[in-house]
Amino acid sequence: MALISLFEVIGPNMVGPSSSHTAGAASMALLARRLFPGEIKKVVFTLYGSFAKTYKGHGTDRALLGGIMGFATDDLRIRDSLELARQQGIEYEFRIADDEKEEIHPNTADMDMEGTRGERLFVRGVSLGGGKVKIVRLNQIQVDFTGEYSTLIVSQTDMPGVVAHITRVLSEEGVNIAFMRLFREKKGANAYTIVESDEKIPAEVLDRIRENPLVSDIMLVQL
């Protein structure tokens, strides 16, 4: 039997009626915002399952947009995020998933973000309850991480030696690895190495990892 903590029953400090539909929505969008490399000018949200059915009544729309704007779960500005986004010139759209052919958690949202300099990032997040979330897709690749640790995401070509390079750099910089996993489209194609650490990851790590020519991008979310 799975254990449920008191935190999961009561939920986090938050604006809104639901730890799953409001706090979780804000948390996943805030995590997506922290992964984005620039300033967001447009975001399209696609909602699934119970998110799609109750998003207006539970404030999921305002929470998602608030998170994209950098608001934490207890930030009172979430209540006015729709108007604040318009004032800041951020375009947004909420879509309901038409045909859910694949198995998807009922509290799921896609966030397709576009930056002021043409940057693009697609993130799929899941609200697990009690305000806890995880990211399950980055662009076209299925992933799995929570953002509860310092998280290093290395975009690379799936070729021999890249993971060894990342591991060596982390070891030499004294980074303690809590979890490390490789996610890829297919052998030899695009991939993500995701490293989670229970301490801050030094900035020097990023430059050293980029020295490998098969590394195309790096995202970092610190504790």
Side-chain angles (χ1 to χ4, degrees), residues 2 20 57 74 83 115-116 120 166 173 196 201 208:
S20 294
D74 60 350
E83 178 58 30
T116 56
R120 295 295 297 267
I166 296 169
E173 294 291 343
E196 296 174 282
I201 297 174
R208 292 193 58 193

Side-chain angles (χ1 to χ4, degrees), residues 39-223:
E39 293 300 318
I40 296 173
K41 74 170 185 179
K42 181 178 180 181
V43 56
V44 176
F45 301 98
T46 301
L47 309 179
Y48 298 82
S50 61
F51 267 10
K53 293 180 176 66
T54 65
Y55 75 97
K56 289 185 178 180
H58 282 180
T60 305
D61 51 353
R62 286 170 286 170
L64 284 168
L65 191 55
I68 288 294
M69 296 171 68
F71 303 161
T73 58
D74 60 350
D75 194 320
L76 296 179
R77 291 177 295 175
I78 285 175
R79 296 170 179 169
D80 303 312
S81 61
L82 302 181
E83 178 58 30
L84 290 173
R86 284 191 284 266
Q87 292 176 7
Q88 295 181 24
I90 300 174
E91 300 177 50
Y92 61 86
E93 180 182 351
F94 293 93
R95 298 176 180 174
I96 304 302
D98 294 326
D99 187 9
E100 299 181 25
K101 293 181 179 180
E102 56 184 315
E103 284 190 28
I104 290 183
H105 189 284
N107 297 334
T108 296
D110 292 341
M111 295 159 279
D112 192 357
M113 296 167 282
E114 181 179 348
T116 56
R117 296 177 298 176
E119 311 97 318
R120 295 295 297 267
L121 180 65
F122 177 96
V123 177
R124 173 171 290 170
V126 173
S127 176
L128 302 171
K132 293 182 176 294
V133 302
K134 67 177 178 178
I135 302 302
V136 298
R137 183 174 154 191
L138 288 176
N139 294 322
Q140 300 303 314
I141 300 178
Q142 304 296 323
V143 298
D144 189 344
F145 65 94
T146 65
E148 295 178 2
Y149 297 83
S150 290
T151 306
L152 177 71
I153 303 165
V154 181
S155 178
Q156 66 196 72
T157 303
D158 179 42
M159 296 291 287
V162 184
V163 173
H165 168 72
I166 296 169
T167 304
R168 182 174 61 255
V169 170
L170 293 172
S171 176
E172 292 174 354
E173 294 291 343
V175 176
N176 183 47
I177 298 173
F179 307 99
M180 183 172 182
R181 287 166 290 181
L182 175 72
F183 302 92
R184 63 185 186 179
E185 288 182 299
K186 60 182 180 180
K187 183 177 180 180
N190 294 328
Y192 289 110
T193 293
I194 298 182
V195 178
E196 296 174 282
S197 175
D198 46 16
E199 59 191 32
K200 283 199 172 183
I201 297 174
E204 296 80 7
V205 166
L206 279 63
D207 291 335
R208 292 193 58 193
I209 291 176
R210 287 192 181 99
E211 292 173 0
N212 189 301
L214 295 174
V215 170
S216 56
D217 194 17
I218 298 178
M219 292 174 272
L220 177 63
V221 176
Q222 295 282 28
L223 281 172

